[in-house]
Amino acid sequence: MKRLKISSYFLRTKWAILLVIAIILIVFGRMIESPALTKTGIVLGAGIDFLPETQEFVVTAQNVIMASSSSESGGQTTYSTYTEKGKSISSALDSISRKMGLTLSLSHCNVLILSQETLKLDMIQLIYPLTGLYSLPEHAIVVTADRSPQELIALQVGTTVSTPYYLQLALTNKEGTDGMIRTTVKDLIARTQSRSRATAMPYIAAKLMSDQPIDGTGELKDRYEFEMKQALVFGKDSSRVLDEKLSEVLALYLSQSAFGAINYSFDTGATVDFNILEKDVKVKPKGREVEAQIKMSVELLDVQFIKSDSVLTDADEIILQAASNLGKELAFRITQLFELSKEINIDFLGLQAKVYQSVGRTLEENCLNTITFTPTVELEVKDMA
């Protein structure tokens, strides 16, 4: 094989170009002013509400205050919350920035709270000022609640004073069977702009703790706990809060991976708990017929109220029967979700987008009622001993 020869002129030119690029990066990079952390308003969580009667946005931002020295804050983290109104989101954020006297940054904002009124608006126009001008991450989690974003962010929870920080920890964990749908900013845009024009997100219900926490100075007052076992599904014109059972199944269907416990109860009262190891969802459209095959590998977690002379294992017939029955039960609940989506005309399962991949541009708008959907769920019990 003839060896390829590279001219010395080419090599000299290549190194010269690299040297010029390095000089440009060093010289001009040092000329770009980077604001200090003490001059930057680092937003942990943001909320947006919309007032139809005045056509105004109500924007709330909770910031962490960066002290120039540890002595200024006494070693404690300080949070501040600001709320401003504006005819646009950027004008409200600009007002918050001026009120703080700091340069506002959403680059560390991992939670975005939207009111149900806001969900009726154009998502691209709503989100672009946040991602394009204020560097909101595309992986930030989007949620809604039983109260306005301003009220939710102002609440204090039992484990920390910052609601956005708590939600960040709770919602960025592994997806599971807890009913919490991890919908990111990127997911929100993609799903609402698809042919389905619908999606789901966590629905937070806040209630005052019956037993208030206690620290070294005594009982803490007005602390709240958040219930996040429900999901809100919404489309272009309407929304609906699902109950806990349907929210759990929807989380299993929509999540990329799922971890946690699922259980089956026999009519006798006997219960069998399984721990999810892996999950795979394959949705196959063929014309207007859509098949969803969900396969989960699980391990036996707990057994109660079953009479047995020995410790039950994953090989026992009653355990395998529980896994088979649970698969059928989950498939039935997913079918219930489909029937509900047709009833309220919100394609939160994303079926029209799937059918569009098969049918193409001839697919008419709002054709959910013309789609046939068949889900199957199979549980494989594995021995992890």
Side-chain angles (χ1 to χ4, degrees):
M1 181 183 241
K2 191 174 180 180
R3 191 173 180 181
L4 181 63
K5 294 182 179 180
I6 301 176
S7 67
S8 59
Y9 173 77
F10 175 80
L11 291 174
R12 289 196 305 270
T13 304
K14 180 186 74 171
W15 289 112
I17 293 174
L18 291 176
L19 180 61
V20 171
I21 292 175
I23 293 173
I24 291 174
L25 290 176
I26 293 173
V27 173
F28 287 95
R30 295 174 67 88
M31 293 174 62
I32 297 175
E33 183 180 356
S34 179
L37 288 178
T38 54
K39 297 181 180 180
T40 303
I42 300 177
V43 178
L44 292 181
I48 301 176
D49 196 3
F50 181 68
L51 307 177
E53 59 275 10
T54 60
Q55 294 289 297
E56 286 183 307
F57 290 96
V58 181
V59 180
T60 303
Q62 186 172 96
N63 317 274
V64 57
I65 304 300
M66 303 299 295
S68 58
S69 64
S70 59
S71 60
E72 290 185 17
S73 60
Q76 296 182 350
T77 303
T78 304
Y79 303 96
S80 62
T81 304
Y82 296 87
T83 300
E84 287 292 331
K85 293 182 180 180
K87 290 296 184 179
S88 67
I89 296 174
S90 59
S91 64
L93 286 171
D94 188 55
S95 297
I96 292 176
S97 181
R98 289 199 305 271
K99 182 181 288 188
M100 294 173 59
L102 300 171
T103 302
L104 205 62
S105 172
L106 300 181
S107 59
H108 293 82
C109 177
N110 290 310
V111 177
L112 177 63
I113 305 168
L114 301 179
S115 69
Q116 295 188 41
E117 282 294 332
T118 308
L119 297 177
K120 299 176 184 179
L121 304 177
D122 186 316
M123 287 296 107
I124 290 183
Q125 292 186 16
L126 182 76
I127 297 299
Y128 175 74
L130 303 176
T131 57
L133 302 177
Y134 293 93
S135 303
L136 176 70
E138 292 184 350
H139 62 261
I141 302 295
V142 186
V143 304
T144 189
D146 61 350
R147 59 193 67 203
S148 71
Q150 179 182 359
E151 293 173 319
L152 186 71
I153 290 178
L155 299 180
Q156 294 185 355
V157 294
T159 54
T160 176
V161 296
S162 172
T163 290
Y165 182 66
Y166 168 79
L167 292 176
Q168 174 183 330
L169 295 178
L171 293 170
T172 54
N173 290 332
K174 292 179 178 179
E175 296 179 295
T177 57
D178 50 13
M180 291 190 290
I181 310 295
R182 273 69 167 185
T183 300
T184 66
V185 169
K186 185 177 180 180
D187 295 331
L188 178 67
I189 295 296
R191 293 171 185 171
T192 54
Q193 299 304 310
S194 71
R195 288 299 294 264
S196 295
R197 292 181 173 82
T199 189
M201 63 176 58
Y203 179 81
I204 300 172
K207 65 177 184 179
L208 196 65
M209 298 180 67
S210 56
D211 297 315
Q212 294 290 317
I214 299 175
D215 65 3
T217 62
E219 185 180 65
L220 302 176
K221 299 295 184 180
D222 299 329
R223 296 298 177 104
Y224 284 76
E225 59 183 352
F226 294 158
E227 293 183 354
M228 296 183 286
K229 296 182 179 180
Q230 292 180 275
L232 179 135
V233 296
F234 75 96
K236 187 177 180 180
D237 302 314
S238 60
S239 61
R240 176 75 65 90
V241 178
L242 304 182
D243 61 38
E244 291 185 14
K245 287 294 184 182
L246 291 180
S247 297
E248 290 175 2
V249 179
L250 183 60
L252 283 175
Y253 180 81
L254 289 181
S255 61
Q256 295 181 353
S257 59
F259 300 88
I262 52 177
N263 65 79
Y264 178 77
S265 298
F266 290 94
D267 294 337
T268 59
T271 61
V272 180
D273 286 6
F274 297 100
N275 181 49
I276 301 175
L277 301 174
E278 294 179 351
K279 187 206 71 166
D280 179 58
V281 179
K282 293 183 179 179
V283 182
K284 300 178 181 178
K286 186 178 181 181
R288 295 175 186 266
E289 298 179 0
V290 181
E291 293 183 359
Q293 298 177 347
I294 304 173
K295 294 184 178 181
M296 290 188 289
S297 59
V298 299
E299 65 175 336
L300 180 61
L301 187 62
D302 193 7
V303 177
Q304 296 294 333
F305 310 115
I306 295 180
K307 293 182 179 180
S308 176
D309 297 330
S310 60
V311 176
L312 294 172
T313 68
D314 56 276
D316 287 293
E317 181 63 30
I318 191 168
I319 303 301
L320 296 176
Q321 186 62 52
S324 176
N325 292 352
L326 180 55
K328 296 175 182 177
E329 182 178 290
L330 292 174
F332 174 72
R333 291 182 187 173
I334 295 175
T335 303
Q336 284 184 310
L337 286 173
F338 173 57
E339 295 300 326
L340 176 63
S341 71
K342 292 193 296 182
E343 177 186 337
I344 61 180
N345 195 29
I346 302 176
D347 185 19
F348 51 84
L349 295 177
L351 299 182
Q352 291 182 87
K354 290 294 181 181
V355 170
Y356 180 75
Q357 297 174 7
S358 177
V359 176
R361 296 182 179 180
T362 59
L363 184 69
E364 69 274 17
E365 297 285 346
N366 198 21
C367 61
L368 186 58
N369 284 313
T370 69
I371 296 175
T372 302
F373 179 57
T374 307
T376 58
V377 182
E378 178 183 343
L379 274 67
E380 180 185 3
V381 185
K382 289 190 174 182
D383 183 8
M384 302 302 294

